[in-house]
Amino acid sequence: MTRALPPGTVTGTQSYLAVRAQESSNIAPWVPFVVAFGVIGLVMSVLIVANVVSGAVVAGYQRIGILKSIGFSPGQVVAAYTSQAGVPAVVGCLGGVVLGNLLAVPILGQTANVYGVGALGVPVWVDLAVPLGMCCLVGVAALLPALRAGRLSAVQAIAAGRAPRHGRGYAAHRLFGRLALPRPVTIGLAAPFARPARTSVTLAAILLGAVAVTFAVGLGTSLARVAEGLSHSSAEPVQVFIPSASPGGPGVLHIINSHDVGQTPGGHLPTSAQAQRAVPAALRAQPGTARWVGADAAEMVSVAGLSQQVGLTVFRGDASWTGYGMISGHWYTGPGQVDVASGFLTDTGKSVGDTITMTFGGKQVTARIVGQVFDTDNNGLAILTGWQTLAGADHGLVVNQYDIGLRPGTSASAYAQALGSKLGPAYLVNTNTHDQGFPVVLGLIGTLTLLLAIVAGLGVLNTVVLSTRERVHDLGVFKAIGMTPRQTIAMVVCWVAGVGLLAGIVAVPAGIALHHYVLPAMAGAANLGLPAAYLNVYGAAQIIVLALAGLVIAVAGALLPAGWAAKTGTASALRTE
């Protein structure tokens, strides 16, 4: 290109690999949590499909017995019930593929438009593999219980359709019957032991739903702390930006993670000396000011061992309160000490305690790394230090921004408006806000969690409906001897309440473990470390509440069929036999 074009046309080059790495780092942190939710959803779907299909076959045992009594062979029984499950499976898979493509097309179209990569669509192999895989799953789920039913005699099949095999759950009924609880409650709590396989699948579905809830709560809390740590909005809710190019000349404003509520700089720009007198005086006079620190956040320095320059922020005064999350080490306490971001340590191979050599103002400055901070500026190639560390190398450092902490109860927006009016249009006074992308991600997490909880609730509903159908004769007997509708609802809800409570208790440590695995993976994809405070977000009270998530999912899924069971008349329930 240089030879083909006129001299001076090509002023610089950059590898596409660096651009690709930068673009990938913007989206890579969000991939792990999307994958985690996707895997939970897929496993839950498989469990529920298997439970629905196998349960439907088991619930048809009595009819299978009738078919065998009129001459159906075992192979015909298996073929009949496998094909019976296969018809709705094919229709559901085809409908799901069509709906999935319809939902994906607009999203992929917007993505293609944003990145200018042409047309995007769902790959053909996905449209083929998903329905084939789901149909195979349905076939296996139907085949296994159908084979078992096909081997039974007509009398055995009819008896199995009436009740579980002799001995299943009776020990549990005797044990729970000794508890000082209402009899409908003890009957409900003992019922899952009669169908251990179905109970296990239901337990797994509720468990995954509760894990998703636990994981989502922790992830949402962690991301909120990440957003706060990147913006420093709690520690320094107001910032003042001033010209910083040269004394007496027009300057350049460096605005990061802020929302303009003041005036756009205009008119005569103050000199550096004027600004450094005017801003501190205004801050001291402004009610609500708790503390402030000036900083030169516009410097770039060369560091030995790195080909690219490193962003340098130099504070004039105590800046330990400004809200940087500490991953390791401590905040610098004197000259010759620096804190660095994770990307700096990764690219240089340095660690806390090592020394670095910076070239600043034409002179070399040696400093010791005393801490690793959570900072994404300049892709993590960032250094933070005090004014004294570089004062000997260059006396041209100027404050181009002030970070301001407020007294409790002070409105950031009102403070910024008042301070902006006092300083005039030459200064930009902003409130410090979170990145607008985080609310979108938090909304996505909430949506995915709600969907998975609903799916888990539907799995519970399916289980309770099958159990109600199998035990309709028992319901009729209970009603005949005086069980009230409220007692019926309590009994049916207790069929899954114990399972839900157990699932919730197990789900809490599982969800916390998933959170502690996924969040570092997200940070690692962005070349970041994480402060311990961003990872350890579960409190004792929160854990107790989350342990009840499985119980809530189970009860919510059981209420509707419990209402149906309560409304069933005694004669109708007995005739259903």
Side-chain angles (χ1 to χ4, degrees):
M1 291 293 292
T2 303
R3 290 194 301 268
L5 295 173
T9 302
V10 178
T11 59
T13 61
Q14 183 179 15
S15 170
Y16 82 95
L17 294 173
V19 179
R20 187 176 68 176
Q22 171 63 30
E23 294 300 326
S24 298
S25 67
N26 293 333
I27 192 64
W30 310 119
V31 173
F33 95 82
V34 174
V35 170
F37 276 111
V39 170
I40 291 175
L42 287 173
V43 174
M44 191 182 298
S45 299
V46 169
L47 288 173
I48 291 176
V49 167
N51 196 26
V52 169
V53 176
S54 61
V57 175
V58 171
Y61 269 18
Q62 187 173 5
R63 179 168 294 183
I64 291 174
I66 296 173
L67 294 177
K68 293 179 74 69
S69 68
I70 62 175
F72 271 60
S73 66
Q76 288 174 321
V77 170
V78 172
Y81 273 82
T82 304
S83 60
Q84 179 180 319
V87 172
V90 171
V91 174
C93 289
L94 293 178
V97 168
V98 172
L99 183 59
N101 278 272
L102 291 177
L103 292 174
V105 165
I107 297 176
L108 294 176
Q110 293 173 5
T111 304
N113 184 55
V114 167
Y115 289 98
V117 293
L120 291 176
V122 178
V124 176
W125 70 265
V126 173
D127 287 338
L128 295 176
V130 170
L132 287 176
M134 191 58 71
C135 287
C136 290
L137 170 66
V138 171
V140 172
L143 182 62
L144 296 179
L147 285 172
R148 186 168 60 248
R151 290 195 298 267
L152 297 175
S153 67
V155 174
Q156 288 175 323
I158 292 174
R162 281 280 310 276
R165 288 198 299 270
H166 176 71
R168 278 201 175 180
Y170 288 108
H173 276 283
R174 288 194 296 269
L175 177 63
F176 282 104
R178 297 174 183 174
L179 301 177
L181 294 172
R183 190 59 181 142
V185 173
T186 61
I187 293 174
L189 293 175
F193 293 91
R195 293 289 189 192
R198 183 182 301 170
T199 299
S200 299
V201 175
T202 305
L203 174 67
I206 300 175
L207 174 65
L208 289 173
V211 166
V213 172
T214 304
F215 171 55
V217 169
L219 185 61
T221 305
S222 294
L223 290 181
R225 294 187 182 182
V226 168
E228 186 177 302
L230 292 177
S231 66
H232 310 163
S233 56
S234 295
E236 46 182 74
V238 178
Q239 294 175 314
V240 177
F241 297 92
I242 58 178
S244 60
S246 61
V252 179
L253 293 175
H254 301 272
I255 306 170
I256 302 173
N257 294 329
S258 56
H259 176 64
D260 183 9
V261 297
Q263 303 179 23
T264 302
H268 177 70
L269 296 177
T271 64
S272 175
Q274 291 172 335
Q276 298 201 36
R277 290 193 301 269
V279 175
L283 293 176
R284 282 190 289 266
Q286 182 65 33
T289 304
R291 50 195 172 184
W292 75 86
V293 64
D296 184 346
E299 301 296 338
M300 299 293 290
V301 297
S302 298
V303 176
L306 284 178
S307 59
Q308 63 267 51
Q309 289 196 309
V310 179
L312 176 67
T313 299
V314 189
F315 293 100
R316 175 167 283 183
D318 177 23
S320 58
W321 56 270
T322 49
Y324 285 91
M326 295 301 305
I327 300 172
S328 61
H330 61 84
W331 190 258
Y332 68 86
T333 56
Q337 298 180 0
V338 297
D339 292 294
V340 299
S342 303
F344 181 91
L345 297 179
T346 301
D347 289 0
T348 60
K350 300 285 186 179
S351 59
V352 174
D354 293 341
T355 59
I356 59 172
T357 301
M358 301 176 287
T359 301
F360 180 76
K363 297 182 179 180
Q364 290 188 339
V365 177
T366 300
R368 185 166 63 92
I369 302 172
V370 296
Q372 179 185 3
V373 297
F374 183 74
D375 190 8
T376 60
D377 286 349
N378 196 35
N379 293 326
L381 289 177
I383 299 175
L384 311 174
T385 190
W387 210 269
Q388 300 87 347
T389 299
L390 298 175
D394 189 292
H395 297 284
L397 290 170
V398 293
V399 173
N400 56 31
Q401 77 177 55
Y402 283 86
D403 301 325
I404 306 163
L406 303 180
R407 297 184 185 278
T410 303
S411 169
S413 57
Y415 181 96
Q417 291 283 4
L419 184 62
S421 299
K422 184 177 294 184
L423 287 174
Y427 301 86
L428 185 62
V429 183
N430 292 344
T431 54
N432 202 1
T433 60
H434 291 175
D435 187 341
Q436 296 303 309
F438 279 98
V440 176
V441 175
L442 293 178
L444 176 60
I445 292 172
T447 301
L448 292 173
T449 305
L450 179 62
L451 289 174
L452 291 177
I454 290 174
V455 171
L458 290 175
V460 174
L461 185 145
N462 160 74
T463 298
V464 178
V465 167
L466 289 173
S467 299
T468 303
R469 179 178 174 181
E470 288 181 352
R471 295 166 179 159
V472 65
H473 177 266
D474 295 342
L475 288 173
V477 173
F478 289 144
K479 286 174 175 288
I481 61 177
M483 181 176 282
T484 65
R486 289 187 178 181
Q487 290 175 322
T488 303
I489 292 175
M491 181 185 68
V492 174
V493 169
C494 286
W495 286 352
V496 291
V499 175
L501 182 59
L502 177 61
I505 294 173
V506 176
V508 169
I512 293 175
L514 180 63
H515 170 266
H516 282 29
Y517 175 79
V518 171
L519 197 66
M522 294 172 64
N527 197 22
L528 290 173
L530 281 177
Y534 295 0
L535 197 60
N536 302 321
V537 297
Y538 295 95
Q542 196 175 41
I543 288 175
I544 294 174
V545 173
L546 289 173
L548 300 176
L551 178 61
V552 172
I553 292 173
V555 171
L559 281 177
L560 189 59
W564 295 339
K567 293 177 182 178
T568 302
T570 304
S572 299
L574 292 173
R575 279 201 303 268
T576 304
E577 181 186 3

